[in-house]
Amino acid sequence: MLENYIDGKWKGHSTLTDVINPANGEIIAKVPLSSEKEVDEAVQAAKIAQKQWAKVPAPQRAEVLYKVGNIMKERKEELARLLTLENGKVIEEARGEVQEGIDMAFYMAGEGRRLFGQTTPAELKDKFAMSIRVPVGVVAIVTPWNFPIAIATWKSFPAIVAGNAVIWKPATETPIMAYELAKIFEEAGLPKGVLNVVFGKGSIVGEAIVQHPDIQVVSFTGSNEVGRTIASECGRQLKKVSLEMGGKNAVIVMDDADLDLAVDGIIWSAFGTSGQRCTACSRVIVHKDVQKELEKRLLEKMEQLTIGNGLDEQVKVGPIINQSSLEKIHGYVELGKREGAKLLAGGFPLTENEYKYGWFYAPTLFTNVHPNMRIAQEEIFGPVVSIISVSSLEEAIEVNNQVSYGLSSSIFTRDVNRVFKAQRDLDTGIVYVNAGTIGAEIHLPFGGTKGTGNGHRDSGVQALDVFTEWRTVYVDYSGKLQRAQIDIESNE
Ligand SMILES: NC(=O)c1ccc[n+]([C@@H]2O[C@H](COP(=O)([O-])OP(=O)(O)OC[C@H]3O[C@@H](n4cnc5c(N)ncnc54)[C@H](O)[C@@H]3O)[C@@H](O)[C@H]2O)c1
Ligand SMILES: O=C[C@H](O)CS(=O)(=O)O
């Protein structure tokens, strides 16, 4: 039975819901469905804690993150197995996700000794000017089920090292990672109230967070639908909001590409995590001269994919998170057929034998897809790929950019001129060259253009911009009143 973590105490709740292993339908935990009351309790605790936490020197705040990183490292295998149990992703990817969190802990702990501002000459004599980062106060993070620990670390670690207190609402499908991370923070000695975890529905706990007048920042990762609602409420309240949302990512394969490399990149990006990554490849934009050969090699590789329970080391494609996601994916496949795309492989849920009690979908490949079809425009969030044929690099870039999202893109080519044109013209926050669309590193900014975000970034030092304000400080040590903004000569 999981419990909320508020003001350094574990608090049970009378209303609970089941946490289900998507690979076999087993109930693996029960999680609170909290209310506005618990959100307010957490905010009141956070307000008190933050005042003290902000006064702790940043290098000391960072010590807690070093400890968190070390505990995560010691418990890496156990955390990865729990992650596979609640989310379904295959164990090697679960290990990779936990490692992202560990990397983020050490990276952000390093920021405790940097948190750089700027110093600059002042206009006037005997005057000093600088800008420094200051914490915002109480911040909220709202996270999705597809990367339940990594994304939480991308947000909570910069927030905490910068001197804020955090209210975290994890996705109800994957609360175990949140529970474990809170326990790790507790063991690492984080003062009470600096991190508070409130479990519950987005429509209740999420909305209460967004509405709460004492929460200064909402950092959200999830769907566009929810992101828009959050943004409009935050806009009404003039509350800072950082949004990381969906994607419709493409791999471009040019006629000079190493096709085997491109196939490996597509398979990994499209079917890894069963296509349930914001960065997943769901379009392949291929030069017409190599289309047939690419399709042949893709189909051969797809046949070798083992689908099943992610705890089995041989399995490469795990389950879909739940029944409603499975239905959404299948709905898009049926739509693609009606739109006139040609189904080359997959296109159905797996329901027999070992798949009977879980939610599995066969890796699916469409060809003859027109860029305007809905399957080529909308986020499916499952193992479904559409092949679109083009005749030139310019056309490939145009097709890539003709969607309302802008998260990740990739190009396979051996031509350095094409590489430089592509990285200049592809309208996405992340561009890969001769690699698939997934595999972000935590010390670089992560996020996208257009409908994927609102200009903020997770990860990298850029994450600190979400959780800090800039304070500009002028120190006049002349001992007399000097007046800026009037003719400097008159201040002689
Ligand atoms: N760009 C990125 O960095 C990134 C990374 C991972 C996932 N995603 C996106 O996330 C989506 C999948 O995740 P999901 O299904 O968990 O998304 P979701 O939008 O359904 O839920 C995300 C979080 O928001 C909460 N929520 C739901 N309604 C809310 C409301 N009205 N107010 C406040 N909070 C609310 C949910 O409970 C959950 O914790 C996909 O669209 C994927 O592309 C984006
Ligand atoms: O969302 C988290 C992932 O790490 C992003 S990626 O697909 O690996 O780039």
Side-chain angles (χ1 to χ4, degrees):
M1 189 118 58
L2 306 181
E3 296 176 316
N4 288 325
Y5 185 59
I6 299 173
D7 201 16
K9 296 179 200 72
W10 294 98
K11 297 190 172 183
H13 200 273
S14 52
T15 318
L16 300 162
T17 191
D18 296 338
V19 183
I20 293 175
N21 179 345
N24 57 20
E26 277 173 15
I27 298 171
I28 50 174
K30 287 191 182 285
V31 61
L33 289 179
S34 315
S35 67
E36 294 84 352
K37 181 176 154 285
E38 284 78 29
V39 172
D40 190 54
E41 228 177 281
V43 174
Q44 298 317 323
K47 277 169 68 177
I48 295 168
Q50 195 269 331
K51 288 199 170 58
Q52 294 308 314
W53 185 239
K55 292 194 183 107
V56 175
Q60 278 181 37
R61 296 199 293 255
E63 286 301 321
V64 175
L65 286 189
Y66 282 120
K67 285 186 191 146
V68 166
N70 281 322
I71 300 169
M72 287 178 78
K73 217 167 149 181
E74 279 161 24
R75 294 187 54 200
K76 180 174 171 182
E77 185 61 22
E78 179 204 347
L79 291 171
R81 296 185 83 78
L82 286 171
L83 171 53
T84 295
L85 271 184
E86 71 171 353
N87 166 286
K89 67 177 62 183
V90 301
I91 188 70
E92 61 175 2
E93 291 184 30
R95 289 183 189 119
E97 179 176 346
V98 176
Q99 186 59 45
E100 267 189 59
I102 297 168
D103 294 341
M104 195 65 185
F106 295 132
Y107 174 63
M108 271 300 148
E111 279 308 308
R113 287 193 179 269
R114 288 185 290 267
L115 284 177
F116 292 136
Q118 297 108 24
T119 59
T120 177
E123 286 176 1
L124 301 174
K125 277 186 196 161
D126 298 335
K127 188 180 173 195
F128 182 82
M130 63 183 164
S131 59
I132 55 171
R133 286 185 188 276
V134 293
V136 187
V138 177
V139 304
I141 68 171
V142 180
T143 53
W145 51 263
N146 73 328
F147 275 82
I149 193 158
I151 290 175
T153 68
W154 292 3
K155 295 178 188 295
S156 62
F157 293 179
I160 285 172
V161 83
N164 301 283
V166 176
I167 313 292
W168 176 14
K169 195 215 93 59
T172 324
E173 294 87 344
T174 51
I176 296 175
M177 284 298 100
Y179 183 73
E180 294 299 330
L181 190 57
K183 283 209 291 201
I184 289 170
F185 265 113
E186 184 184 38
E187 188 183 337
L190 186 74
K192 66 175 190 172
V194 177
L195 175 75
N196 304 274
V197 181
V198 184
F199 295 107
K201 288 186 178 167
S203 56
I204 296 173
V205 171
E207 282 194 16
I209 281 174
V210 174
Q211 300 283 348
H212 204 293
D214 293 333
I215 292 179
Q216 278 88 23
V217 173
V218 178
S219 174
F220 167 82
T221 295
S223 63
N224 280 60
E225 260 176 298
V226 174
R228 275 174 205 277
T229 317
I230 292 178
S232 72
E233 180 53 27
C234 288
R236 205 180 61 76
Q237 293 187 35
L238 293 182
K239 190 178 277 190
K240 187 170 174 184
V241 59
S242 160
L243 305 171
E244 301 296 340
M245 301 176 288
K248 191 69 192 173
N249 316 293
V251 168
I252 296 173
V253 184
M254 294 309 299
D255 48 355
D256 63 342
D258 175 337
L259 284 192
D260 284 332
L261 189 64
V263 165
D264 284 345
I266 294 165
I267 294 280
W268 168 229
S269 314
F271 304 123
T273 333
S274 310
Q276 300 170 111
R277 288 195 191 214
C278 50
T279 47
C281 161
S282 65
R283 298 180 296 157
V284 171
I285 303 170
V286 59
H287 193 284
K288 62 178 177 23
D289 292 351
V290 290
Q291 180 184 354
K292 285 282 160 261
E293 185 58 25
L294 183 81
E295 285 173 1
K296 184 174 136 270
R297 294 193 204 183
L298 271 175
L299 287 169
E300 281 164 14
K301 271 277 156 81
M302 284 172 71
E303 269 176 26
Q304 294 162 22
L305 290 172
T306 330
I307 304 161
N309 188 324
L311 285 177
D312 177 345
E313 302 272 356
Q314 305 311 313
V315 163
K316 295 291 172 219
V317 182
I320 303 300
I321 189 72
N322 55 31
Q323 178 70 23
S324 70
S325 291
L326 188 92
E327 284 167 10
K328 181 180 164 200
I329 294 164
H330 192 56
Y332 270 110
V333 169
E334 291 297 317
L335 174 69
K337 289 196 265 182
R338 288 199 301 279
E339 285 181 306
K342 183 175 170 197
L343 188 62
L344 289 181
F348 51 87
L350 298 162
T351 52
E352 303 290 313
N353 305 321
E354 76 262 39
Y355 305 123
K356 199 167 173 185
Y357 298 107
W359 297 292
F360 291 92
Y361 204 85
T364 297
L365 189 63
F366 276 116
T367 191
N368 295 354
V369 176
H370 188 276
N372 290 340
M373 287 179 183
R374 281 181 59 197
I375 55 163
Q377 288 287 324
E378 296 173 20
E379 187 182 49
I380 298 174
F381 224 55
V384 180
V385 184
S386 294
I387 295 184
I388 301 168
S389 171
V390 292
S391 307
S392 65
L393 176 66
E394 289 67 29
E395 192 188 349
I397 291 170
E398 198 183 318
V399 169
N400 178 79
N401 293 349
Q402 259 173 22
V403 291
S404 57
Y405 298 100
L407 184 51
S408 182
S409 58
S410 126
I411 180 163
F412 284 84
T413 177
R414 291 184 168 100
D415 181 337
V416 70
N417 295 343
R418 285 173 161 172
V419 167
F420 274 85
K421 280 185 190 152
Q423 65 79 27
R424 183 193 62 196
D425 296 337
L426 289 167
D427 189 2
T428 53
I430 306 166
V431 175
Y432 289 92
V433 176
N434 292 326
T437 52
I438 65 176
E441 299 185 28
I442 54 92
H443 54 296
L444 289 132
F446 183 93
T449 61
K450 301 189 281 187
T452 293
N454 66 338
H456 291 286
R457 291 290 185 269
D458 274 343
S459 280
V461 283
Q462 289 74 9
L464 293 169
D465 293 337
V466 175
F467 299 109
T468 53
E469 290 280 6
W470 281 109
R471 177 163 300 152
T472 305
V473 181
Y474 299 105
V475 181
D476 190 322
Y477 53 97
S478 68
K480 58 185 179 190
L481 180 67
Q482 301 195 83
R483 291 178 297 160
Q485 294 180 0
I486 60 170
D487 189 350
I488 291 175
E489 299 298 313
S490 62
N491 276 295
E492 287 287 314

